[in-house]
Amino acid sequence: MADDSLPQGAKLTARDAAFRDDPDAVYDRLRQHAPLYRDEAYGRRVLTRFDDARHVLRSHDFGVDARKSLPESYMRRVAGTGVQEGAGATAYEPPLVLLDDPAHRRIRLLMSKAFTPKAVEAMRPRIHAITRELLAALSGAGEIDFIEAYAGPLPTRVIAEMMGVPASDCADLKRWSDAILMGYDPEREPAVQARLRESYLAMSAMFKDALAARRRAPREDLISAMVRAQKDSDRLSDLEIISLCTQLLVAGNVTTTDLMGNGLYALLKHPAELARLRADLSLMPRAVDEILRYDCPLTETARIALTDTMVSGCPIAKGETLTVALAAANHDPALFAEPHRFSLDRDASAQLGFATGPHVCLGAPLARMEGEIGLQAFIEQFPDLSLAATPPRRRALPFFRGFERLPLRLN
Ligand code: HEM
């Protein structure tokens, strides 16, 4: 468990360029020499083996509520949006992903009544229509930034539509959700924090108004469904609905953008696999699993030990933060042969890109559908697609791995 198991000078954060450029090299070394690495710099242990990751994500010995972690833990630094301070106690409710039972079970159950498979399936024709619209806007373009022009706007448009928010509000929603995302960077600067707080309050205000409007005149959308769930059981507070709406945007937006960005990049770097996919589009669901495994958009999540416990024979003290490196688990050779090879031959369905256990991604079916439809439509539209001469740029934000910019030549 010695500190020298980390490559010299490397820090386990996407803020570090060496780690950002080649996380696999760091994770491989940790998995081999210190699979429960004690990361003193950030007050946590980092788990890199598939079996350990799956165990911790499914075990009741671990929770997500930062208030149960040791002082100075990584979890506390990440979870603090700073919105609570000075904004009044009613302005902030922790997102679902940071709540333990019983609140988590209650809210997740109510949320799944609104976010039903039927509601998701109903979005299929709309996702096709939105991709067509975005593609039409690219007609005649030579070079584009895939993130700005396509992978960024698509998920925002989709979730906004599900919520019944007009397309004209999407630019605001996207800007706010990008700013709120910075709450996952424990080393964020004060100016970033200020923007985050402002954005959270602005987005909450928009959803508060939408909630009041749906209560007066219900419609066929997600916010109305949440209001109905509230009425049926009277156990979902207004603040909880607002927090859920915010989380759907923040958690669902950038991750789906990155599924498409990381996926298209992997395909362009592996032209034989791209050619196979073009020739047989029924491989699309398999390709999405392989993308989620090979370069997963949410690289890490965290858990807190709720009791003194053990992981792989190693004692873990109550209150310790464990970072579960999903990206490392997805490259564990114990489960995936030749893990650093991108291949559509592989059955990658065991990948942990959506996690597992009680907090498994609620939006996974929607994200898969957007990824499949969005990527397929794009590669069909542009048969001569290639990377542009301007190099792509990765985002320097912990957890959320994706491209800030992915320049493409369309023909
Ligand atoms: C490719 C896209 C996506 C990826 C990779 C992804 C990944 C994840 C992961 C790994 C978790 C679990 C975190 C943990 O266990 O700590 C999660 C939770 C969650 N995701 Fe996603 N997600 C994606 C898209 C979406 C979408 C589109 C939505 C909704 C619109 C969404 C909503 C949520 C919610 C509400 C949770 C919290 C669930 C809970 O705590 O019970 N996600 N996501």
Side-chain angles (χ1 to χ4, degrees):
M1 226 47 77
D3 267 13
D4 61 6
S5 31
L6 202 61
Q8 234 194 349
K11 280 180 87 184
L12 282 172
T13 168
R15 278 178 157 252
D16 184 284
F19 181 77
R20 193 165 66 239
D21 289 347
D22 192 3
D24 290 340
V26 178
Y27 285 146
D28 282 352
R29 189 151 163 174
L30 288 183
R31 198 186 305 100
Q32 214 174 346
H33 300 290
L36 289 113
Y37 177 71
R38 194 191 286 281
D39 180 14
E40 303 290 356
Y42 290 112
R44 61 180 177 164
R45 277 178 191 275
V46 180
L47 272 58
T48 39
R49 282 197 300 225
F50 183 91
D51 281 350
D52 292 341
R54 189 175 47 186
H55 163 72
V56 167
L57 292 172
R58 291 182 177 176
S59 162
H60 294 295
D61 283 354
F62 299 92
V64 290
D65 188 336
R67 292 165 291 193
K68 298 174 189 165
S69 66
L70 298 171
E72 302 304 312
S73 69
Y74 190 69
M75 196 67 174
R76 278 183 195 262
R77 285 195 263 168
V78 170
T81 58
V83 173
Q84 39 299 48
E85 297 125 38
T90 54
Y92 177 76
E93 178 71 26
L96 194 57
V97 78
L98 295 175
L99 282 177
D100 284 339
D101 287 343
H104 176 261
R105 189 182 303 130
R106 170 176 62 85
I107 297 174
R108 175 129 185 164
L109 193 73
L110 289 169
M111 185 59 201
S112 46
K113 285 188 185 167
F115 210 81
T116 57
K118 198 172 148 214
V120 172
E121 194 49 43
M123 285 310 290
R124 187 179 291 277
R126 290 302 309 146
I127 298 173
H128 279 292
I130 296 167
T131 56
R132 275 197 301 273
E133 229 179 90
L134 293 171
L135 288 172
L138 300 181
S139 121
E143 272 194 31
I144 60 152
D145 173 7
F146 182 66
I147 304 300
E148 189 188 11
Y150 191 78
L154 176 58
T156 316
R157 287 281 305 275
V158 172
I159 194 69
E161 238 182 71
M162 280 188 88
M163 289 177 168
V165 174
S168 52
D169 286 338
C170 280
D172 279 343
L173 286 175
K174 171 82 181 124
R175 199 164 27 83
W176 294 332
S177 98
D178 286 349
I180 296 170
L181 195 66
M182 300 310 286
Y184 288 92
D185 182 356
E187 294 163 290
R188 56 194 178 270
E189 287 81 24
V192 172
Q193 175 62 33
R195 219 166 27 246
L196 182 171
R197 188 172 179 280
E198 255 167 48
S199 302
Y200 187 88
L201 295 175
M203 194 188 273
S204 305
M206 177 194 268
F207 285 131
K208 195 171 170 203
D209 290 347
L211 191 60
R214 301 304 187 282
R215 198 166 277 139
R216 284 194 302 271
R219 302 194 219 151
E220 278 308 306
D221 62 30
L222 209 52
I223 300 181
S224 305
M226 287 194 238
V227 171
R228 267 199 306 280
Q230 182 181 41
K231 219 154 94 196
D232 290 349
S233 61
D234 205 20
R235 291 173 69 220
L236 196 55
S237 72
D238 280 8
L239 203 55
E240 284 166 345
I241 294 186
I242 293 166
S243 170
L244 277 168
C245 291
T246 309
Q247 194 184 357
L248 288 183
L249 264 154
V250 177
N253 248 338
V254 73
T255 43
T256 310
T257 298
D258 295 340
L259 164 65
M260 286 186 276
N262 297 357
L264 191 64
Y265 183 73
L267 286 164
L268 288 168
K269 285 287 191 185
H270 299 82
E273 298 306 280
L274 177 55
R276 279 181 68 190
L277 189 59
R278 285 187 194 282
D280 179 4
L281 290 166
S282 73
L283 288 173
M284 210 66 218
R286 178 180 276 255
V288 165
D289 262 326
E290 178 62 350
I291 292 164
L292 287 163
R293 186 200 69 79
Y294 179 76
D295 195 6
C296 69
L298 195 72
T299 55
E300 296 176 354
T301 183
R303 292 294 182 269
I304 298 147
L306 300 176
T307 176
D308 289 341
T309 183
M310 304 281 272
V311 175
S312 282
C314 172
I316 305 288
K318 180 177 175 180
E320 259 193 82
T321 299
L322 304 188
T323 283
V324 180
L326 303 171
N330 282 341
H331 282 242
D332 185 343
L335 201 82
F336 301 105
E338 294 185 75
H340 306 321
R341 196 160 70 86
F342 180 76
S343 167
L344 301 185
D345 284 329
R346 188 192 301 281
D347 174 3
S349 54
Q351 55 79 22
L352 291 178
F354 290 123
T356 180
H359 290 274
V360 65
C361 178
L362 188 77
L366 179 67
R368 277 181 189 284
M369 194 192 289
E370 287 182 60
E372 286 173 25
I373 297 175
L375 279 174
Q376 177 170 333
F378 199 82
I379 61 173
E380 280 189 306
Q381 179 82 9
F382 302 109
D384 299 319
L385 188 64
S386 60
L387 289 169
T390 318
R393 194 171 57 216
R394 288 271 184 194
R395 190 187 305 115
L397 178 67
F399 298 104
F400 294 90
R401 180 170 170 83
F403 290 97
E404 223 162 59
R405 205 180 55 192
L406 181 56
L408 299 179
R409 281 180 68 85
L410 296 182
N411 37 54

